[in-house]
Amino acid sequence: MRPLAGFLLRRLIGGVPALLIVAVGVFLLLDRAGGDAVDAWLVSIGGGDARMAAALRAEYGLDQSVFSRLTFMLGRLVQGDFGWSFALNRPIGPAIMERLPNTLQLMGAATGISFLIGSALGLIAGRRPGSWTDRLLSGGSLLLYSVPSFWLGLALSVIFAVRLRWFPVSGIETIASGKTGLDRAADVAWHLVLPVAALGMIYLALFLRVMRSGMVEAWGQDYALAARARGVPDRRVALNHAARNALVPLVTMLGLQAGAMLGGSVVIESVFGIPGFGRLAQEAVAGRDAPLLLAVVLVSALMVTLANILTDLAYGALDPRVGSGGRDAA
Amino acid sequence: MSFLISRRGLIGVAAGLLASTALPRLALAAGGRLVVAADSEPRQLNPAIVASNGVFFIASKIVEPLAEASFEAGGLRPLLATSWEGSEDGLAVTFRLREGVLWHDGKPFTSADVAFSALEVWKPLQNIGRSLFANLEDVETPDDQTAVFRFSKPTPLQLVANALPVVSAVLPKHVYEGTEIAANPANAALIGTGPFVWGEHKPGEYYLLRRNAAYWAPDQPKIDELVYRVLPDRAAAANSLEAGEIQLAAFSAVPLTDLERVSEVPGLEVVTKGYEALTYQLTVEINHRNAHLKHLKVRQAIAHAIDRKFVLDAIFLGYAAEATGPVPANDPTFYTPEVELYPHDVEKARALLDEAGYPAGADGTRFKLRLLPAPYFNETRQFGDYLRQALAAVGIDAVIVANDSAGHQKAVYTDHEFDLAVAPTVFRADPAISTTILVRSGVPAGTPFSNQGGYENPELDALIDEALITLDSGKRVDLYKRFQKLVTEDLPLINVADWSFTSVASDRLRGLASNPRWAVSNWADLEQEA
């Protein structure tokens, strides 16, 4: 257990400078964009007077220099306090905690399903390269991969929600339904079908292609040949020998895609009206709400970091040659 | 073992799925629940502090003003006030208040609440009230049903009355007294006298309002639950309407380009009425600090370069009217068509530019300008694109500078880093509320939706100031007619189109668009058929 704890600690500490750079970068970028939180608010209320704007700026410290605002915010973050959101007019911590589960559900389900189906189909396609099954699957995945996710989301919504009415058009659960427990879980699952499909489909295609090429490569290796020569059934060679090796690059890809998927969920959340992290980030930028944006970005960065650590651990489990200690040193 | 559990879980999920498919249809039960699209969640929901349409859309159902706009003569329907009367010297306005009205927490509504709201909220805190009630000195309450507003300068009753629907949301004194009003928890769980009481707000998802069984008007409201579903994405709003998940999308939540398709969906109707007192104008704001734009002839040339008919057809798809000046044609009181008009005439525009001393260069270009279209509406952005082409045709190279809302706000109204800007200015029933500020000089920088183009015209300023203290309604109207003529002659800005919003609603709704500020009124008479 000890080496593992040490590995995790080293990885997390190693992430701190990256998080700091992200935080400062985001803050400065938002600061360079014209207008501040008060400007954004005045637009939304259709007018006000200059004195009111000045009073608000003073109240929220927006009249301070960039440096003092930045250091104040970082100081607060170090103490574990996200602060107060101007755009939402409430503390940021609870707002994050409300939105995070929605995004995690969406991303988690999309990742899980696309990984399972993608690798299974990739395995099938890669078993007999050049067969019609392979061509069909490879062609299909290329097609899927080239479809923009927002378009896929809209198309799914129009067909399955508007025309057929099988699924809800938007939202994360039936509004003000008073449901609890399993009922509520089922309701959320039902609402997530289309967004998860829209988000997962593209990654499914990606995983399928990576798995397929891994399988094709593994199939040509000596150990696969040796296993077949020994009379091991094809099925077992594919599952126990080839697939295990083909999974290694796939798992790497899984970790790398965690960040991209977070980006993709911004679009999907908007299309399906899911109050998640992506929409919160969008609201933060439009409202010039630096503390809120910073909180969203930092929590996202943390999530991606965690996803990568998990990937590394899985990597070690799949491939005994890769010890976590050794990898870390390299 | 773990497999068994997950399989059992899956069966449960599947059963739940089957059961829940029946649910959304329930939302259409008679009386029952009405689900409405909301495109934003205001950070401050108190309508006495923030007088804006985004806030009123939700809050006006809970917190009521003294009076609401009406299609009938006089233009006002009494709500919390039953009558109002001005003194001859214009220094006092006496309101008689409705009896038997209760706050949602059961306490009686009295003149003390009105006095408190006016002196502690509207005058010091409200975005519009701060200027409108600047001369309000005191509110006397001789009895529980009478409130006398005392002004330090003559204040026309006509202006006060026209502003009532917007500025006079009354707050309960017993909840707000002695607290920091802008931070009072009741701002996020409003307490009012209106037909609906606060239910809950789930950020990012919905607001829930419930029927106020003790509402002062008998048999109202007729809806049990009012739900505002947060749908920032416009495609989602249209799709949700088609799928029957929501019954109403107001404030053009369904884009103009989708209206034709949506109007053909059985069970849905497009409603263009109910926004008459919320008319917007598509306006070209001009920075008079620019050496070229200082010349009246250049401004006239720009006005002549715009093909208003094309703008109406191509950008507004017919859902707008040509603007002749700073007051929209659908205003029943102040509008006059007797102003300087600028018909589309490219040749004349070119001639005017020649006369102003700007001959076309070798490449046909006379000079360059920065053009900042406001990003708030599709239509303002599209008009920016059109204006660039229209100006190119007369030899002006307008370079579009695109910002988002906050950026635009700062660039135009604080930093003045523009030459031309496209603004959606709002006419709020009286030119003194939000129209004269667009051309009056001396407005401090940083004031949104005001004259930040550095325009100064002493004659116009004097006229605006005179109208502000003219008590006689007839004389006041004449002054504002002259105001329209002066503005169109000197072109501090160019008004292009009068436009308003559309609603898309279920055809089972009755009582839609029943007043000229319908979307932001209290919906007490709105009904839903089974």
Side-chain angles (χ1 to χ4, degrees), chain A residues 86 165 169-170 176 179 288, chain B residues 23 43 229 242 245 404:
Chain A
F86 182 87
R165 302 200 180 181
V169 173
S170 62
K179 286 183 190 171
R288 296 288 189 272
Chain B
L23 276 166
R43 69 178 289 276
R229 175 96 181 256
E242 276 197 74
E245 286 181 19
D404 72 350

Side-chain angles (χ1 to χ4, degrees), chain A residues 34-35 41 43 45 47-49 60 86-87 89-90 157 165 168-170 173 175-176 179 190 270 275 279 288, chain B residues 17 23 33 43 50 52 127 130 202-206 229 231 233 239 242-243 245 376 404 407 409-410 447-448:
Chain A
W41 186 55
V43 171
I45 67 169
D49 66 23
Y60 285 89
F86 182 87
N89 204 14
R90 57 187 286 229
S157 170
R165 302 200 180 181
V169 173
S170 62
E173 60 181 312
I175 36 174
K179 286 183 190 171
W190 180 54
S270 170
R279 235 174 76 188
R288 296 288 189 272
Chain B
L17 282 181
L23 276 166
R33 175 185 283 184
R43 69 178 289 276
V50 176
S52 83
N127 53 334
R130 286 166 86 113
K202 203 138 186 256
E205 295 189 55
Y206 63 85
R229 175 96 181 256
L231 291 171
D233 188 78
N239 286 349
E242 276 197 74
E245 286 181 19
Y376 326 132
D404 72 350
Q409 172 69 30
K410 182 153 198 293
T447 309

Side-chain angles (χ1 to χ4, degrees), chain B residues 116-190:
Chain B
F116 174 80
S117 301
L119 292 172
E120 305 295 325
V121 189
W122 305 342
K123 179 179 166 168
L125 299 177
Q126 190 191 84
N127 53 334
I128 292 179
R130 286 166 86 113
S131 56
L132 199 84
F133 289 115
N135 300 326
L136 181 68
E137 276 195 331
D138 194 18
V139 178
E140 291 163 15
T141 53
D143 63 61
D144 277 358
Q145 259 64 53
T146 310
V148 185
F149 284 45
R150 300 263 175 221
F151 293 93
S152 59
K153 285 183 190 159
T155 303
L157 180 68
Q158 186 184 38
L159 169 59
V160 174
N162 282 337
L164 284 179
V166 178
V167 300
S168 71
V170 185
L171 297 181
K173 179 181 178 185
H174 62 275
V175 172
Y176 284 89
E177 191 176 29
T179 69
E180 195 197 331
I181 292 168
N184 192 300
N187 295 338
L190 297 168

Side-chain angles (χ1 to χ4, degrees), chain A residues 33-53 55-57 59-60 84-90 98-99 102 154 157-158 161-163 165-177 179 182-187 189-191 193 270-275 279 283 285-288, chain B residues 9 12-17 20-25 33 35 41-44 49-55 125-128 130-131 180 182 200 202-206 208 225 227-233 235-236 239-245 261 265 376 403-410 414 428 437 444-449:
Chain A
D36 61 13
V38 173
D39 287 317
W41 186 55
L42 287 177
V43 171
S44 76
I45 67 169
D49 66 23
R51 270 182 307 137
M52 179 166 104
L56 273 172
R57 284 200 174 93
E59 190 185 335
Y60 285 89
W84 185 271
S85 159
F86 182 87
L88 304 176
N89 204 14
R90 57 187 286 229
E98 269 166 24
R99 308 282 182 115
N102 293 340
L154 285 172
S157 170
V158 166
V162 178
R163 294 266 177 272
R165 302 200 180 181
W166 290 355
F167 298 103
V169 173
S170 62
I172 184 79
E173 60 181 312
T174 307
I175 36 174
S177 62
K179 286 183 190 171
L182 204 59
D183 263 2
R184 178 155 179 248
D187 187 43
W190 180 54
H191 277 77
V193 171
S270 170
V271 170
F272 288 98
I274 295 173
R279 235 174 76 188
E283 284 165 20
V285 173
R288 296 288 189 272
Chain B
V13 168
L17 282 181
S20 53
T21 43
L23 276 166
R25 267 7 122 215
R33 175 185 283 184
V35 188
E41 297 164 276
R43 69 178 289 276
Q44 170 62 275
I49 299 175
V50 176
S52 83
N53 291 338
V55 169
L125 299 177
Q126 190 191 84
N127 53 334
I128 292 179
R130 286 166 86 113
S131 56
E180 195 197 331
E200 62 171 324
K202 203 138 186 256
E205 295 189 55
Y206 63 85
L208 171 66
E225 280 188 337
V227 177
Y228 290 87
R229 175 96 181 256
V230 180
L231 291 171
D233 188 78
N239 286 349
S240 301
L241 274 167
E242 276 197 74
E245 286 181 19
R261 179 176 62 83
V265 175
Y376 326 132
N403 287 302
D404 72 350
S405 295
H408 182 80
Q409 172 69 30
K410 182 153 198 293
T414 304
R428 292 186 170 92
I437 194 175
T447 309
F449 309 108

